[in-house]
Amino acid sequence: MNQSEQNTHAPAGVQPILQARNLVKRYGHVVAIDHAEFELYPGEILAVIGDNGAGKSSMIKALTGALKPDAGEILLEGKRVEFESPLEARAAGIETVYQNLALSPALSITDNMFLGREKRSEGFLGKYFRKLDRDFMRREARKHLNALGLLTIQNIDQPVETLSGGQRQGVAIARAVAFGSRVVIMDEPTAALGVKESRKVLDLILDVKRRGLPIVLISHNMPHVFEVADRIHIHRLGRRACVIRPQDYSMSDAVAIMTGAKEAPVH
Amino acid sequence: MTDGANPAGRAGPAEQERVLASTSQQEHVSFDDERRTPLKRFQQFLHANPTTIPFIVLALSIVLFSAIVGSRFFHPFNLSLVLQQVTIIAILGTAQTLIILTAGIDLSVGAIMVLSSVVMGRLAVLAGLPVPLAFMLGLLVGVACGLLNGFLVARLKLPPFIVTLGTWSIFGALNLWYSASQTIRQQEVAEAAPFLQFTGTAFNFLGARITLGSILMLIIAAFIWYLLNRTAFGRHVHATGDDPEAAKLAGINVTGTLIAVYTLAGFICSIAAWALIGRIGAISSISGATANLDSITAVVIGGTSLFGGRGSIIGTLVGALIVGVFRNGLALAGADSLWQEFAIGLLIIVAVAIDQWIRKVSA
């Protein structure tokens, strides 16, 4: 069946904010992405699930500029884009929260929030001596953490390594939200966390959604996916098998489709 | 302990329960400062303020040696001697700090310094080049050496230890070849290129003899401190040493940062060459033989972690002073110089052990 004819439960008449059409990536004889389709709509949480090796990481990498597809196109708000690097995707407003968080443990929360996009002071010292505007960065970091209800973090200057796993995840998410103007992609945000901290991170994800930012959530955790996702993109054998709504299917159905034990639904 | 010997024995079981309760609670609440032991809190304090230990060690060593050798230690002349001995090591130490912060190591800093000094000296004194030109070419040699190290480490991804072990030999051999193992005497330098000895110029400060070389050391240290603590580049140096993968994902040009760090270190080494000429007056291909390891010693004793990402310039200055005070104090006390080496060796091992212990806070 042609993927583009699938019922993806897309909202009618709305343009996807991020879209991939007919994406292909081959490594020698291995086809990592096999004519894959992808759509993310404004304001939604789209979960992407798939077995290990199904090619969901490759597809996400293509969307974030970490991998250059052999064929197909990527559209951001309807305009075709070609990312040469993750930096370009970031500049276009697509922020990724990586599984390893990409935080520097010995640096402070503020330093981490602005890592790689530090703000220089206005005026002479900033211009000629490249002095950082540390007060500005502290204020902004505090503002963004507060906005997401991460008030429990007392000292904005404390090194990230002194935070718990959930708090670190919070800092990484706050960073993505602070700079991600269009899309936030989260790779397994709850994989390394305990029950309590997972709960907080899920609340955080819902909070980010309420702020209007669409989220791509890559996860293996079915209860988490079914709890927060609006639509679930099931990836199998390098392509999209189907898109389901959590209210229409059970978790075991989703796993069965994912592993091929059950046919993808045809509407 | 018997009940008789312990008047508070009745509190024993209750105390035990409280401890048990607090430990079981700790499993659930991992961010509870109240329940930490004093040792744990001390460990945390050191983790937040890693330069505390070098300052304590410096203070203790000063107290120790003033107790052993008396007022001779505090004589202004002796203190200025310590400062002069420390100057070269401290300048190389700032270069070494930059590199160790990126989780690297530079065994070639001493060799770069000597090569630069020989190039400056031979071009100015023997080849008769204008002194400013000879000086600039000497600096350029330092920059080129650093750039080579940086290229091999960052682009070819070779381990810094091996790269600089190799370039140490190469720069050393080039130095012997170019200098023909000859020494340019102090008198010759003073006649043909007094500018090269300028850093040896001394002035009197409260009875102590301070050289311009020491002032130069402070200027370099202040500059590198600013770079590390007040600019984006400094943050990138820390992040690169801390976790290069995370740094890359955060959008930092890790390769460029590493090349810049090694090149800057090479430049600082060539500035150290200027201070070296000022200190010994003559230009010799065999001076500064122990400078490599002494610079690493100063950095490590100063609390900078060999695993990268954490450390400070101030710590390195204090570390260099500790080395200077130990060498000077033991010499004044009449100990054989072999005991200086013994003490420095002990200091290194203790410093690394403390660093390991402090790092466990985050584990």
Side-chain angles (χ1 to χ4, degrees), chain B residues 15-229:
Chain B
E15 177 79 12
Q16 209 169 26
E17 270 176 31
R18 200 180 61 76
V19 171
L20 278 175
S22 71
T23 45
S24 64
Q25 206 168 354
Q26 219 170 15
E27 285 170 6
H28 302 292
V29 188
S30 51
F31 271 80
D32 199 343
D33 278 339
E34 298 297 307
R35 311 219 175 252
R36 303 209 173 224
T37 64
L39 189 67
K40 256 262 178 304
R41 255 184 269 176
F42 182 56
Q43 188 184 17
Q44 271 194 320
F45 173 77
L46 291 180
H47 188 261
N49 307 282
T51 40
T52 315
I53 293 245
F55 273 108
I56 294 174
V57 172
L58 181 62
L60 286 181
S61 56
I62 289 172
V63 168
L64 177 75
F65 286 115
S66 57
I68 296 175
V69 300
S71 60
R72 272 188 302 154
F73 180 80
F74 281 113
H75 195 278
F77 176 77
N78 187 51
L79 291 182
S80 32
L81 191 66
V82 172
L83 191 62
Q84 284 171 43
Q85 286 165 342
V86 159
T87 296
I88 307 284
I89 299 308
I91 297 178
L92 291 181
T94 54
Q96 193 70 260
T97 307
L98 277 170
I99 284 167
I100 290 182
L101 276 175
T102 66
I105 193 124
D106 194 340
L107 298 175
S108 70
V109 286
I112 296 176
M113 171 178 74
V114 179
L115 183 60
S116 294
S117 74
V118 167
V119 168
M120 288 176 188
R122 286 188 77 85
L123 288 180
V125 179
L126 301 183
L129 249 64
V131 176
L133 183 61
F135 179 69
M136 297 297 267
L137 286 173
L139 294 184
L140 200 64
V141 165
V143 169
C145 290
L147 185 63
L148 176 66
N149 281 337
F151 177 79
L152 294 173
V153 168
R155 273 283 151 75
L156 301 191
K157 316 244 181 264
L158 301 176
F161 183 89
I162 299 302
V163 165
T164 57
L165 186 64
T167 54
W168 177 15
S169 290
I170 291 169
F171 300 153
L174 286 177
N175 162 35
L176 288 180
W177 163 73
Y178 183 60
S179 68
S181 301
Q182 288 171 340
T183 300
I184 307 172
R185 283 179 292 120
Q186 183 165 9
Q187 200 56 38
E188 293 175 279
V189 181
E191 277 168 18
F195 174 73
L196 294 183
Q197 294 175 335
F198 177 67
T199 52
T201 315
F203 62 91
N204 197 314
F205 181 74
L206 302 176
R209 209 172 148 269
I210 309 281
T211 63
L212 291 182
S214 300
I215 304 295
L216 186 65
M217 167 195 85
L218 288 178
I219 293 171
I220 291 171
F223 172 69
I224 299 300
W225 178 89
Y226 177 85
L227 201 63
L228 284 174
N229 294 290

Side-chain angles (χ1 to χ4, degrees), chain B residues 344-363:
Chain B
I344 304 296
L346 266 185
L347 280 176
I348 295 176
I349 292 171
V350 171
V352 173
I354 290 175
D355 174 50
Q356 288 282 38
W357 181 62
I358 294 174
R359 286 169 57 88
K360 282 197 193 125
V361 164
S362 45

Side-chain angles (χ1 to χ4, degrees), chain A:
Chain A
M1 183 189 80
N2 191 333
Q3 290 170 90
S4 45
E5 288 166 14
Q6 294 168 348
N7 180 1
T8 60
H9 305 283
V14 180
Q15 186 186 54
I17 190 152
L18 184 63
Q19 185 177 18
R21 278 194 210 141
N22 228 0
L23 226 47
V24 178
K25 179 71 189 179
R26 294 189 191 89
Y27 296 102
H29 292 297
V30 182
V31 185
I33 313 176
D34 184 12
H35 303 279
E37 304 282 319
F38 174 90
E39 287 119 28
L40 174 73
Y41 289 92
E44 74 168 348
I45 296 179
L46 175 74
V48 176
I49 64 173
D51 213 351
N52 291 331
K56 60 183 191 301
S57 301
S58 297
M59 182 183 69
I60 296 298
K61 278 183 182 163
L63 292 172
T64 57
L67 175 160
K68 221 172 136 50
D70 298 328
E73 56 180 5
I74 296 166
L75 300 122
L76 184 63
E77 288 179 344
K79 285 191 209 69
R80 194 171 168 171
V81 285
E82 274 180 48
F83 300 131
E84 296 292 331
S85 72
L87 277 181
E88 287 185 17
R90 243 168 58 167
I94 302 173
E95 279 289 323
T96 310
V97 180
Y98 296 96
Q99 194 168 1
N100 67 4
L101 301 182
L103 296 174
S104 189
L107 292 183
S108 73
I109 295 168
T110 311
D111 285 339
N112 266 293
M113 295 237 355
F114 284 86
L115 196 57
R117 37 197 161 194
E118 292 82 357
K119 165 93 169 60
R120 268 190 233 161
S121 295
E122 306 286 334
F124 181 78
L125 280 177
K127 196 166 177 198
Y128 295 102
F129 291 92
R130 297 169 161 264
K131 188 173 187 295
L132 292 176
D133 192 343
R134 299 200 303 158
D135 288 337
F136 171 84
M137 292 195 288
R138 278 203 194 100
R139 266 199 317 276
E140 285 292 301
R142 195 181 298 281
K143 193 180 90 189
H144 288 298
L145 289 175
N146 279 351
L148 288 175
L150 294 162
L151 279 164
T152 46
I153 295 168
Q154 297 294 321
N155 182 0
I156 205 91
D157 290 322
Q158 84 190 75
V160 159
E161 66 197 345
T162 61
L163 302 176
S164 70
Q167 287 174 317
R168 288 184 207 195
Q169 189 79 45
V171 171
I173 292 174
R175 174 169 72 179
V177 172
F179 292 98
S181 51
R182 292 197 166 107
V183 176
V184 174
I185 297 173
M186 299 188 195
D187 191 4
E188 299 281 1
T190 55
L193 302 180
V195 176
K196 246 174 145 177
E197 296 217 303
S198 290
R199 181 70 257 149
K200 279 188 187 158
V201 169
L202 290 176
D203 287 342
L204 203 55
I205 293 171
L206 289 169
D207 214 43
V208 173
K209 181 194 165 186
R210 269 193 291 278
R211 289 158 61 94
L213 265 179
I215 296 163
V216 179
L217 173 69
I218 302 146
S219 181
H220 271 105
N221 190 312
M222 289 307 139
H224 294 170
V225 164
F226 272 72
E227 184 188 332
V228 299
D230 297 303
R231 297 188 305 136
I232 301 171
H233 168 134
I234 304 181
H235 214 71
R236 181 171 149 69
L237 303 175
R239 52 161 64 195
R240 182 168 73 189
C242 62
V243 178
I244 61 170
R245 286 185 301 188
Q247 60 268 36
D248 300 339
Y249 287 86
S250 70
M251 292 183 206
S252 48
D253 286 338
V255 172
I257 298 168
M258 195 172 104
T259 55
K262 184 179 160 126
E263 277 290 306
V266 183
H267 293 274

